[in-house]
Amino acid sequence: ELKRMSVSREQRGRGLARALCREVLAFARARGYGAVVLSTSMVQVAAQRLYEGQGFRRVGASYPSLLGTLLNFQIFHYRCDLGDGT
């Protein structure tokens, strides 16, 4: 599970997030993991584009709390299948 990946504002736009994401996927694939999963909020549109561009697909959504439900604030769940590591 990939959690809380971020790049400081000063360093954004330099490809660091894409490189970090590729490294995580390569690391997991090399160790025989079948998939990487992550979650991001509905307002993190740039993150959604990043993950989708790296091969993640949205597999679900949920509300983080009752307040989230009342505000219609969703958390999107993503998965990237890695295959058999070959």
Side-chain angles (χ1 to χ4, degrees):
E1 182 177 3
L2 176 60
K3 291 184 107 173
R4 293 179 182 85
M5 183 177 80
S6 67
V7 173
S8 68
R9 284 195 192 281
E10 302 81 36
Q11 300 300 320
R12 291 181 187 165
R14 302 171 75 181
L16 295 171
R18 280 189 309 277
L20 285 168
C21 196
R22 281 193 307 267
E23 188 64 27
V24 166
L25 295 174
F27 181 92
R29 189 175 287 116
R31 284 153 182 79
Y33 288 96
V36 174
V37 298
L38 58 84
S39 300
T40 193
S41 74
M42 61 186 285
V43 299
Q44 299 292 331
V45 177
Q48 294 168 39
R49 281 194 300 249
L50 168 69
Y51 300 138
E52 290 166 3
Q54 295 295 311
F56 285 83
R57 59 186 167 75
R58 193 182 309 173
V59 295
S62 63
Y63 295 100
S65 63
L66 177 58
L67 180 60
T69 302
L70 294 172
L71 297 174
N72 195 33
F73 181 83
Q74 292 184 309
I75 301 297
F76 296 148
H77 307 286
Y78 284 86
R79 177 183 179 102
C80 183
D81 290 314
L82 302 176
D84 62 6
T86 60

